[in-house]
Amino acid sequence: MQNLLSTGRKFLPGAVILLLLVVSACNKAAQTVTPSLPGNEFLTTVELRLTNTANPSDVQLAISTQMSPYTHTYQVDSIYNNLAFLRLKANSTYSGQVIILDETQTPVDTVSLEILARENYHLFFFQPSPVLSSNFDVSTTTTYIPQADWLTNVPASDTTAFGIPENEYMTNATDSALNLVVNRTDLDANSPPMQIGLKDNFLTGAASTGTLRVVLRHQPNAKNGTYPPGSTDLDVTYAVTIY
Amino acid sequence: MNSSKIILLVTALCISAPVFSQTKPASFLEVDGGASLPLGNFGATATASSLMSIQGTVNDVHGWANIGAFGSLDGAWFFSKHFGVGGMFKYGTYGLKKVDSLSQGYEESFDVDTTRTTPSHYTLWSIMPGLYYNLDITKRLSFSARALVGITHASTPKITCTIEDGGVFDAPIVQYSASKTAVAADLGAGLNYSLSKSLALALRTDYFYTKPDFSIVNAPRLNNAGREIYQYDQPLESINFSLGIAYRFAKKK
């Protein structure tokens, strides 16, 4: 009996330790970090194509691009704004479309189709400036950018077409405001659906001038109609003249 | 089909067993540990591309379970020279495999720069009484088999995926752990080698089956994209290989 107990004392602790080792060996937390995929979408050009709903022949195309018009190559530090302007008729409604291109590809890649496919986490914002304070309303269904995210310290050398400064500001006076309101007209596949902004209505008021800033926010698992979540995919400013 | 074969084998052995011992086998208490190979969809994985979904979420029947580990305590009392009743208490755990595919599926679905996926483990606690069979082959070597039915309390892993794009961390994707208790079955066979009158080594293979039908809760998904499951109703089945040490109680004369 003594021998049996002695043998038991030899084997049982070893067996228990073996058991604990086997069980604990698989309790390490697994974690996987997946880095960027090579060849993610890339964009060079943002176009606004506006059609006057009362006069289909009145089509305005504004182009902001990083493709050099001289060498037709992508310039990482340059934006070519010479075609980045809109001339819109006063007191009119234009149906608008945002077209995003990658002009480094042959044929040219229409990135906005990719944005449309991924509509559930992309949202466009349109900020006219100077904006009339009585029009300025930040909500989940308006296209205004919160004031905290406005461009306010852009160097004077950075201008839109026609040399208009890009800095944004608000005014109380109708005659000094850019009389333009942009409304999104397309909806995504979220539940409930939210706006996207690839298709929009541009409503003009009295004759005025200013700028229109267009921002595309990428909001993965964060899109809720507001500006802050996510990061910015594009941020361009156009000169606008309402006549 | 596998379980049917095991039942037939055990039955055949019981019927055709030659008698090496005229006495009842000693009751025993056994501690085991070993590896568990998940079977079927429980151990299956998906490719990242099949988990990519950009205009709605995608369901996933795969369990992603890696080879697991378990420990058990079991014992039996023999009422005849071959048959006994007993039970097993078992704890098992399974990590997840190919988490990079899971992670890349989220990354492609949300078109982000980086995803970081951290899963916890499946855990299974089982209490299973049942029938034990023993057949002495030589003086030291014996064959044993068991058929157990009981309950298992199983938990699915919590899967957390943080997403980063443009230097910004957005709302993480979280699939919370779910738990459920379900009926489970275990069919096993093995060999025992006597080290002494009271101690024996046990080498065993078991087939284990349970089907808890989990209801899964996820953190609110703001945008419809990527893998998202609400129900996991696949069987949790495995083949278990174990090594154990048994303490045999003295036979009553």
Side-chain angles (χ1 to χ4, degrees):
Chain A
M1 188 61 186
Q2 274 305 103
N3 281 345
L4 292 180
L5 288 173
S6 169
T7 314
R9 284 193 194 104
K10 281 180 190 169
F11 282 100
L12 277 175
V16 171
I17 289 167
L18 175 71
L19 182 65
L20 290 174
L21 282 174
V22 167
V23 172
S24 65
C26 288
N27 270 332
K28 292 171 187 166
Q31 187 181 71
T32 291
V33 180
T34 307
S36 306
L37 293 169
N40 258 3
E41 69 212 14
F42 172 78
L43 61 95
T44 62
T45 305
V46 183
E47 297 181 358
L48 295 181
R49 183 185 293 270
L50 274 57
T51 304
N52 190 332
T53 56
N55 176 13
S57 65
D58 176 11
V59 177
Q60 301 295 316
L61 180 65
I63 303 170
S64 177
T65 184
Q66 286 183 272
M67 296 297 288
S68 165
Y70 314 108
T71 62
H72 297 287
T73 55
Y74 174 71
Q75 303 297 310
V76 67
D77 292 324
S78 300
I79 295 179
Y80 299 93
N81 279 330
N82 50 317
L83 296 175
F85 65 89
L86 291 168
R87 290 191 78 250
L88 306 177
K89 198 169 182 185
N91 302 310
S92 301
T93 299
Y94 287 80
S95 63
Q97 191 177 355
V98 184
I99 301 162
I100 305 164
L101 304 172
D102 175 4
E103 295 189 273
T104 63
Q105 302 294 313
T106 306
V108 171
D109 183 22
T110 307
V111 180
S112 39
L113 295 177
E114 186 77 6
I115 300 298
L116 179 62
R118 297 172 183 275
E119 62 192 7
N120 283 1
Y121 44 83
H122 282 100
L123 185 58
F124 282 89
F125 288 83
F126 300 85
Q127 179 60 54
S129 176
V131 62
L132 189 63
S133 56
S134 59
N135 280 351
F136 186 67
D137 173 27
V138 175
S139 78
T140 56
T141 53
T142 59
T143 62
Y144 295 107
I145 296 170
Q147 228 170 332
D149 295 295
W150 281 8
L151 300 176
T152 53
N153 291 307
V154 179
S157 57
D158 290 353
T159 57
T160 67
F162 311 133
I164 302 172
E166 290 188 350
N167 285 318
E168 293 161 302
Y169 59 98
M170 194 180 297
T171 178
N172 293 321
T174 310
D175 54 357
S176 61
L178 175 65
N179 297 306
L180 176 66
V181 173
V182 184
N183 295 315
R184 307 180 195 102
T185 58
D186 47 1
L187 296 172
D188 64 22
N190 279 310
S191 311
M194 287 185 272
Q195 298 176 354
I196 309 164
L198 278 166
K199 291 182 178 175
D200 311 275
N201 271 342
F202 289 64
L203 310 174
T204 61
S208 51
T209 60
T211 61
L212 177 68
R213 181 179 168 208
V214 180
V215 175
L216 172 60
R217 299 287 287 172
H218 183 188
Q219 304 175 319
N221 199 31
K223 179 177 174 181
N224 60 5
T226 68
Y227 185 89
S231 57
T232 295
D233 276 353
L234 68 86
D235 187 339
V236 292
T237 302
Y238 299 87
V240 180
T241 301
I242 297 172
Y243 66 97
Chain B
M1 192 62 179
N2 282 341
S3 57
S4 309
K5 282 181 180 171
I6 292 167
I7 291 167
L8 283 174
L9 176 66
V10 171
T11 309
L13 282 167
C14 294
I15 293 167
S16 63
V19 178
F20 282 92
S21 169
Q22 297 302 313
T23 57
K24 289 188 285 184
S27 301
F28 70 89
L29 200 58
E30 185 176 309
V31 179
D32 298 270
S36 177
L37 272 63
L39 302 176
N41 275 341
F42 179 39
T45 61
T47 60
S49 57
S50 69
L51 296 176
M52 182 190 165
S53 174
I54 54 178
Q55 289 198 320
T57 58
V58 62
N59 192 20
D60 181 18
V61 298
H62 306 96
W64 302 81
N66 205 346
I67 295 173
F70 68 94
S72 66
L73 178 68
D74 77 327
W77 170 79
F78 286 86
F79 54 79
S80 76
K81 64 185 175 190
H82 293 302
F83 291 98
V85 289
M88 176 176 68
F89 176 71
K90 185 177 78 172
Y91 169 73
T93 178
Y94 302 83
L96 265 59
K97 63 185 174 186
K98 295 192 177 176
V99 181
D100 52 340
S101 294
L102 200 59
S103 200
Q104 195 174 333
Y106 288 121
E107 182 182 298
E108 291 181 14
S109 296
F110 285 101
D111 192 21
V112 294
D113 290 343
T114 312
T115 51
R116 185 184 298 267
T117 302
T118 310
S120 61
H121 300 80
Y122 285 97
T123 58
L124 284 82
W125 294 92
S126 305
I127 299 176
M128 308 178 78
L131 193 63
Y132 280 70
Y133 173 79
N134 185 79
L135 171 66
D136 291 334
I137 299 170
T138 68
K139 190 178 175 185
R140 284 184 175 273
L141 191 66
S142 63
F143 169 82
S144 66
R146 63 188 179 190
L148 312 174
V149 176
I151 56 168
T152 288
H153 183 73
S155 298
T156 62
K158 177 184 179 185
I159 300 173
T160 305
C161 178
T162 58
I163 51 181
E164 178 274 326
D165 189 67
V168 175
F169 284 89
D170 294 296
I173 295 153
V174 185
Q175 176 188 314
Y176 292 108
S177 175
S179 297
K180 194 154 185 190
T181 301
V183 173
D186 185 297
L187 286 172
L191 294 171
N192 299 326
Y193 182 79
S194 294
L195 298 170
S196 67
K197 280 188 179 176
S198 58
L199 290 177
L201 279 177
L203 191 63
R204 198 184 295 282
T205 302
D206 285 81
Y207 168 76
F208 175 82
Y209 179 96
T210 187
K211 192 170 176 293
D213 294 352
F214 299 102
S215 293
I216 306 284
V217 175
N218 298 274
R221 185 75 58 94
L222 287 178
N223 305 138
N224 293 338
R227 174 186 181 274
E228 188 173 42
I229 60 172
Y230 293 99
Q231 187 83 22
Y232 190 77
D233 55 5
Q234 300 297 307
L236 308 186
E237 51 182 338
S238 60
I239 290 285
N240 302 333
F241 301 97
S242 63
L243 180 64
I245 189 156
Y247 179 80
R248 288 172 170 164
F249 296 97
K251 295 175 189 175
K252 287 181 182 174
K253 293 185 178 176

